[in-house]
Amino acid sequence: MLNAPIPLSSQAAAVLPLRRARWALALAAAALLGCAAAPQAQRSGSPAAVAAPAAVSAPAPAPRPPASVPGSFADNPIVYFVVTDRFANGNPANDGAYGRQREKDPAADVGTFHGGDLKGLTGKIREGWFKPLGVNAIWITAPYEQIHGWVVGGNKEFRHYAYHGYYALDFTVLDQAMGTPEELRELVDTAHANGIRILFDVVMNHPGYLDIQTAVDLNIPVLWPRALERATLQNYHRQIDYNNFEFKQWWGRPWVRAGLPGYLEGGRDDLTSQLAYLPDFRTDSPEPVTLPPFLKNKPGTRAVDLPNTTVRGYLVKWLTDWVREYGVDGFRVDTVKHVEPEAWTELKREATAALAEWKTKNPAKKIDDAPFWMTGEYWGHGPERGRLHAAGFDNMINFDFQERASQLVKDGASPDALFQQYATLQAGQPAQMLNYISSHDTKLFARDRLIEAGSALLLAPGGVQIYYGDETARPDGPVPGSDPQQSTRSDMNWASADATVLAHWRRLGGFRARHVALARGEHQKLADAPYAFARLDRASGDRVVVALGVAAGARVPVGQAFADGDTLRDAYSGRSLTVSAGHVTVDAAAPAVLLEAAP
């Protein structure tokens, strides 16, 4: 979503006090854990250099893996959101597609294509980047063809290209900067072979602007002479004849509201307004349409006329064809509040049928027989189940969590009230919310507080969205004054990954992936100091105990989760511990103790 953010509601809840000293202890212990790996990471600049974090002490060798009750994907989604263009460049030959150019000045380069692609993402799956984090799905930015050129970014501050996937031109073919059909198939197949689902970011609210380069490439005669060579950030719009009725050769009146000659104006409500002046798809119109003029003549398109089909019908067909052809497992849906719920119901129904068809044809390539999964971005939606779940969404992005977690970390407060609220809302059901601490549309969480934030996110009930680089402390990029969200989409910091943060997130992520109780279990607070809780999932029998900010020699209660004499494994340190008098005793200080049944 690219429209300007609105203030998030705090929905502040009463929290139990936890001394700031315990967070300081957690940070100090984490620093000790990561100090050995950090110099190597700085020397080599390779993610492999930080792949094996140092432990508190050498763990006893484990002949068998720890007990694991992961639940289904819908029960326990751990979704890694990556802006593909900013992650890994696997094929430099596709850089500069459609004549796109980078800028030498980093501040001016903030809105260009940087080279990341599908092949680079596939390489990182093969290298094993995602599995140690517990990731079971990767959400990628929309890879289909975007507008070719740039539009004015911010307050005439930078050239804004469609690197983020929200300025679609042709929904039926891949953008050349993302890669080839073979590379997309390889990405999905490789992900599936590693137990990871692929989710597409999709938009049905709007296509992209008509930029100058695209108008030239598609021969849409609405430009003044020499527009392409004359255009600057200052005079861009003076190169386009906005009174020209030849705009009909673009999407056309039956397809979009655009306020151009011959088009309908955008409305004033959520469903018909033009977000950021983008053309608004008329998905509410019951009238059949034919292909827009530019697509009839566009080289390489796979779009064809569909008899007696509405705008909504075309979009649903185009989007679900990716599912039917490649086995895409789910969608993250953009701008949900700006499209009528009936459209989402239709999209979910058709995508579910398309995935079932693909799995029937490709039984050796599927992960399992789970149905198509869909999460949505409805600005300001909280953790509660609502009408949109009934409209076809399995899950909704939770805008409540980021601000709540930020305040908890700032105050050094216990997360128990938040955990209890979310666990009550989940009530043993599949994950209805997708929690995050950073996003491309809001802000990055404070980079010096990612130990505490990682604990809050990866231990919270519901589903988890990891934004690329939260696990490595990826820094903000340049910050345009009028569009600060651009800074949240900086290049992945492979050469400077924070080994301490990465070690922490991997321990917690791997633990979460093994335990559905963390996502949907009954929450029981066990102690204030150190803060400890149990999660019990009665349907599966899964149970865990967690303590945060633990000092050396601390006694951690296990409540009803485990019995005296039980041998437990601390997934954070790798140590074995035995329950005695309802407690385990921890030898060394640690940011977390993660107790699970020993194998």
Side-chain angles (χ1 to χ4, degrees):
M1 180 174 176
L2 294 175
N3 47 310
I6 60 176
L8 299 177
S9 60
S10 62
Q11 301 181 24
V15 293
L16 297 170
L18 182 69
R19 295 185 180 88
R20 289 180 181 272
R22 295 205 175 277
W23 284 120
L25 171 63
L27 285 171
L32 290 173
L33 290 174
C35 64
Q40 184 182 5
Q42 294 165 359
R43 287 194 302 270
S44 69
S46 167
V50 293
V56 174
S57 61
R64 291 178 292 165
S68 178
V69 187
S72 70
F73 170 72
D75 290 328
N76 191 17
I78 305 173
V79 180
Y80 191 98
F81 169 31
V82 57
V83 177
T84 310
D85 174 68
R86 305 300 171 86
F87 194 63
N89 191 345
N91 183 11
N94 62 35
D95 297 355
Y98 311 103
R100 296 164 179 155
Q101 298 178 8
R102 295 197 63 171
E103 302 283 351
K104 293 181 179 179
D105 177 8
D109 197 45
V110 69
T112 69
F113 278 79
H114 289 189
D117 50 30
L118 301 174
K119 189 176 180 65
L121 190 53
T122 302
K124 293 304 176 184
I125 296 174
R126 288 197 174 120
E127 288 176 14
W129 183 257
F130 301 100
K131 293 296 285 185
L133 289 166
V135 168
N136 53 20
I138 300 174
W139 149 21
I140 67 173
T141 44
Y144 38 77
E145 187 177 353
Q146 304 292 303
I147 62 172
H148 293 177
W150 56 276
V151 294
V152 177
N155 185 19
K156 301 180 180 180
E157 291 178 79
F158 60 93
R159 298 188 178 196
H160 191 167
Y161 289 86
Y163 68 89
H164 39 62
Y166 293 128
Y167 296 163
L169 176 66
D170 186 343
F171 289 82
T172 72
V173 295
L174 284 172
D175 194 279
Q176 292 174 14
M178 292 296 101
T180 65
E182 293 75 22
E183 288 168 340
L184 174 58
R185 200 177 308 279
E186 183 180 19
L187 168 66
V188 176
D189 291 349
T190 302
H192 286 176
N194 284 272
I196 297 173
R197 286 164 166 80
I198 293 294
L199 315 177
F200 271 21
D201 204 337
V202 301
V203 189
M204 282 177 54
N205 172 252
H206 59 264
Y209 304 100
L210 180 59
D211 68 285
I212 292 174
Q213 181 68 61
T214 301
V216 170
D217 292 347
L218 299 180
N219 297 309
I220 300 175
V222 295
L223 304 178
W224 295 112
R226 299 173 58 200
L228 192 61
E229 60 186 275
R230 289 179 172 176
T232 67
L233 287 170
Q234 303 303 316
N235 70 15
Y236 187 92
H237 292 291
R238 294 201 296 273
Q239 310 308 316
I240 302 172
D241 180 5
Y242 286 109
N243 294 314
N244 196 324
F245 278 84
E246 290 304 311
F247 271 103
K248 68 185 179 182
Q249 295 188 36
W250 187 39
W251 285 97
R253 180 188 180 98
W255 276 81
V256 299
R257 301 174 183 89
L260 295 166
Y263 286 73
L264 292 175
E265 294 280 348
R268 296 186 177 182
D269 59 17
D270 284 338
L271 297 181
T272 62
S273 60
Q274 291 179 242
L275 298 179
Y277 302 100
L278 286 157
D280 181 65
F281 275 130
R282 297 181 62 187
T283 53
D284 56 327
S285 173
E287 299 299 320
V289 296
T290 59
L291 281 182
F294 83 90
L295 272 181
K296 288 181 182 289
N297 303 310
K298 180 178 175 292
T301 186
R302 298 182 64 187
V304 296
D305 276 318
L306 303 174
N308 197 32
T309 301
T310 63
V311 170
R312 182 197 300 172
Y314 273 92
L315 292 170
V316 168
K317 176 66 164 59
W318 291 342
L319 292 172
T320 57
D321 274 351
W322 296 102
V323 180
R324 185 173 291 104
E325 176 66 22
Y326 295 96
V328 172
D329 301 277
F331 289 155
R332 178 272 188 184
V333 177
D334 189 66
T335 54
V336 169
K337 72 186 296 182
H338 300 287
V339 178
E340 63 282 358
E342 295 82 3
W344 304 129
T345 302
E346 184 174 337
L347 178 66
K348 176 65 177 302
R349 182 181 65 246
E350 296 302 315
T352 299
L355 184 58
E357 179 184 324
W358 181 86
K359 288 184 177 183
T360 298
K361 293 179 178 178
N362 298 274
K365 292 185 175 183
K366 65 183 181 181
I367 297 176
D368 52 31
D369 290 319
F372 191 83
W373 188 83
M374 203 160 80
T375 189
E377 177 264 336
Y378 187 108
W379 195 272
H381 198 289
E384 302 82 4
R385 180 172 293 274
R387 63 185 181 88
L388 289 165
H389 291 84
F393 287 95
D394 300 279
N395 178 284
M396 295 297 292
I397 292 172
N398 177 18
F399 284 81
D400 175 63
F401 189 85
Q402 183 183 44
E403 202 63 28
R404 293 273 297 276
S406 180
Q407 192 62 47
L408 289 173
V409 168
K410 179 180 178 181
D411 294 344
S414 165
D416 192 72
L418 184 149
F419 286 175
Q420 184 64 66
Q421 178 196 1
Y422 284 13
T424 300
L425 290 170
Q426 280 296 143
Q429 300 300 312
Q432 68 191 40
M433 67 190 86
L434 199 63
N435 305 318
Y436 68 89
I437 60 164
S438 300
S439 88
H440 63 317
D441 273 337
T442 57
K443 60 186 177 182
L444 298 185
F445 203 93
R447 302 286 89 178
D448 60 344
R449 307 305 294 271
L450 288 172
I451 297 294
E452 306 98 312
S455 296
L457 176 65
L458 292 164
L459 297 172
V464 169
Q465 173 207 301
I466 299 172
Y467 189 39
Y468 78 107
D470 272 352
E471 79 278 26
T472 58
R474 171 177 61 88
D476 268 300
V479 185
S482 57
D483 190 358
Q485 282 71 43
Q486 295 294 331
S487 71
T488 69
R489 309 161 192 176
S490 54
D491 292 343
M492 184 64 173
N493 59 325
W494 298 114
S496 59
D498 187 311
T500 300
V501 173
L502 181 59
H504 184 71
W505 281 62
R506 283 178 166 173
R507 289 185 175 102
L508 285 164
F511 181 66
R512 183 185 184 91
R514 292 195 296 277
H515 294 293
V516 70
L518 284 167
R520 70 178 192 194
E522 176 185 332
H523 179 83
Q524 300 175 354
K525 189 183 80 166
L526 301 176
D528 288 329
Y531 169 60
F533 67 85
R535 293 266 171 80
L536 311 173
D537 182 53
R538 301 190 185 279
S540 66
D542 189 32
R543 61 201 191 281
V544 296
V545 169
V546 173
L548 298 178
V550 181
R555 297 177 74 237
V556 176
V558 299
Q560 302 172 13
F562 302 106
D564 284 0
D566 283 351
T567 300
L568 307 181
R569 177 181 182 270
D570 172 17
Y572 204 90
S573 68
R575 290 175 179 266
S576 292
L577 302 170
T578 301
V579 180
S580 176
H583 293 74
V584 297
T585 301
V586 179
D587 292 337
V593 170
L594 310 174
L595 299 177
E596 59 191 352

